[in-house]
Amino acid sequence: MRRRSTTLTEQELEIMKIVWERDQTTVRDVYESLLEHRKVAYTTVMTMMNILEQKKYLKKRLADRAYIYRPAQPKGQVIGDMVRDFVDRVFNGSAEPLLLHLVQEHDLSPAELEEIARIRRKS
Amino acid sequence: MRRRSTTLTEQELEIMKIVWERDQTTVRDVYESLLEHRKVAYTTVMTMMNILEQKKYLKKRLADRAYIYRPAQPKGQVIGDMVRDFVDRVFNGSAEPLLLHLVQEHDLSPAELEEIARIRRKS
DNA sequence: ATTTTCGTACTAATTAATTAGTATGCGGCG
DNA sequence: CGCCGCATACTAATTAATTAGTACGAAAAT
């Protein structure tokens, strides 16, 4: 059988982005934010957020009438996991070929590269 | 409804990697190659390769008794599309934050970075 | 010539992902 | 009090992704 993906799916990520930028939020908040871009049912958002809670991406806490949701893991961590998963799946774990694609197709200037190299040298 | 993903799924990619490295292959070839790593049915591989043909990732040509499959698009192109899709989905289209993750977590040496910068400067 | 082998076509079954509906509870207000 | 608004829980439905089975034809082997 197909195994459940360990990283965030497309819709899950869309919701997590909203939660991360607010840090603290409700189903309604997220629902309204999503509505600005596309049609979606309130209950759909709730279901997704429940799944995200099961998957340990969100924590909820009952406050007054509605649950308040917060990220359960820092954004950098989660995104880092996604990057690692992508590098593993697509490039068998080696980051260099991905770098090559990036510099060749995503208009990264040499200056930006130098900048990155400098940061790297310091760490 | 959920829209069909435009890029390769996990299993599709696994098969395409095998096809790319052989350039020309059959269902049986791929099947046996996959078997070295995990249990899978011959017909499953065939179904996947048919889907890949529908999605225009593979071309097939009847030779003698079995179909011979070839990539319909160059590997660099397809992988490039996957990278772009990832950058769009995860980083809203900007490559720099991805670069930062790469240098921080995938042990890229400064030397490798210089190397990339050099390649970039030439293009 | 009959059986075995190997290939495809077609179809089915399962699971995750996604979207949404129905039932129900609670607090506030006319 | 009884209804309205809003929240959740539970369940259902749909689609893509994935895995695999059955039927069947043609070539090869005996």
Side-chain angles (χ1 to χ4, degrees):
Chain A
M1 66 249 91
R2 184 184 181 186
R3 70 184 181 295
R4 193 181 206 95
S5 104
T6 53
T7 56
L8 292 170
T9 64
E10 184 168 350
Q11 320 310 316
E12 288 171 351
L13 176 61
E14 200 181 355
I15 289 176
M16 285 308 298
K17 282 183 183 174
I18 295 171
V19 179
W20 281 321
E21 84 186 8
R22 291 190 183 21
D23 184 66
Q24 188 168 80
T25 191
T26 62
V27 172
R28 178 149 303 271
D29 280 346
V30 174
Y31 165 64
E32 275 161 11
S33 178
L34 284 176
L35 265 194
E36 289 168 17
H37 298 293
R38 63 190 177 92
K39 189 171 152 304
V40 67
Y42 177 91
T43 47
T44 297
V45 179
M46 205 183 67
T47 305
M48 295 296 300
M49 290 176 77
N50 282 335
I51 292 173
L52 284 166
E53 196 215 350
Q54 285 165 28
K55 291 190 174 181
K56 308 291 183 199
Y57 286 105
L58 289 179
K59 284 183 295 199
K60 72 181 175 188
R61 167 174 66 85
L62 192 55
D64 204 17
R65 299 191 47 206
Y67 284 111
I68 295 199
Y69 288 82
R70 299 172 135 284
Q73 302 172 45
K75 174 175 177 178
Q77 164 95 64
V78 175
I79 300 290
D81 288 348
M82 292 190 74
V83 171
R84 180 164 299 275
D85 174 74
F86 186 76
V87 171
D88 284 349
R89 263 191 316 110
V90 181
F91 298 100
N92 303 324
S94 55
E96 234 207 65
L98 173 51
L99 261 185
L100 276 173
H101 272 283
L102 290 180
V103 299
Q104 284 168 1
E105 301 166 38
H106 289 79
D107 40 74
L108 284 165
S109 67
E112 283 172 301
L113 276 176
E114 305 286 353
E115 161 87 15
I116 306 271
R118 209 173 315 125
I119 290 169
R120 169 64 177 145
R121 241 174 270 120
K122 280 191 203 130
S123 69
Chain B
M1 66 248 92
R2 184 183 181 184
R3 70 184 179 296
R4 193 180 208 98
S5 104
T6 52
T7 56
L8 293 169
T9 64
E10 184 169 349
Q11 320 309 318
E12 288 171 351
L13 175 61
E14 201 181 355
I15 289 177
M16 286 307 298
K17 281 183 183 174
I18 295 171
V19 179
W20 281 321
E21 85 187 8
R22 293 191 183 17
D23 185 65
Q24 190 168 80
T25 192
T26 62
V27 173
R28 179 149 300 269
D29 281 345
V30 175
Y31 166 63
E32 274 160 12
S33 178
L34 283 177
L35 265 194
E36 289 168 19
H37 298 293
R38 63 188 177 91
K39 189 172 151 305
V40 67
Y42 177 91
T43 47
T44 298
V45 180
M46 205 184 67
T47 304
M48 294 297 300
M49 290 177 76
N50 282 335
I51 292 174
L52 283 166
E53 196 215 349
Q54 285 166 28
K55 290 189 174 180
K56 307 291 182 198
Y57 286 104
L58 289 179
K59 284 183 294 197
K60 71 180 174 188
R61 166 174 66 85
L62 192 55
D64 203 18
R65 298 190 47 205
Y67 284 110
I68 295 196
Y69 289 82
R70 300 172 137 284
Q73 302 172 45
K75 175 175 176 178
Q77 163 95 64
V78 175
I79 301 291
D81 287 349
M82 292 191 74
V83 171
R84 180 165 299 276
D85 175 74
F86 186 76
V87 170
D88 284 349
R89 262 191 317 112
V90 181
F91 298 100
N92 303 326
S94 56
E96 234 207 64
L98 173 51
L99 260 185
L100 276 174
H101 273 281
L102 290 179
V103 298
Q104 284 168 1
E105 300 166 38
H106 290 78
D107 39 75
L108 284 165
S109 66
E112 284 172 301
L113 277 176
E114 305 287 353
E115 162 87 15
I116 306 270
R118 209 173 315 124
I119 290 168
R120 169 64 175 144
R121 242 173 267 119
K122 282 194 201 126
S123 68

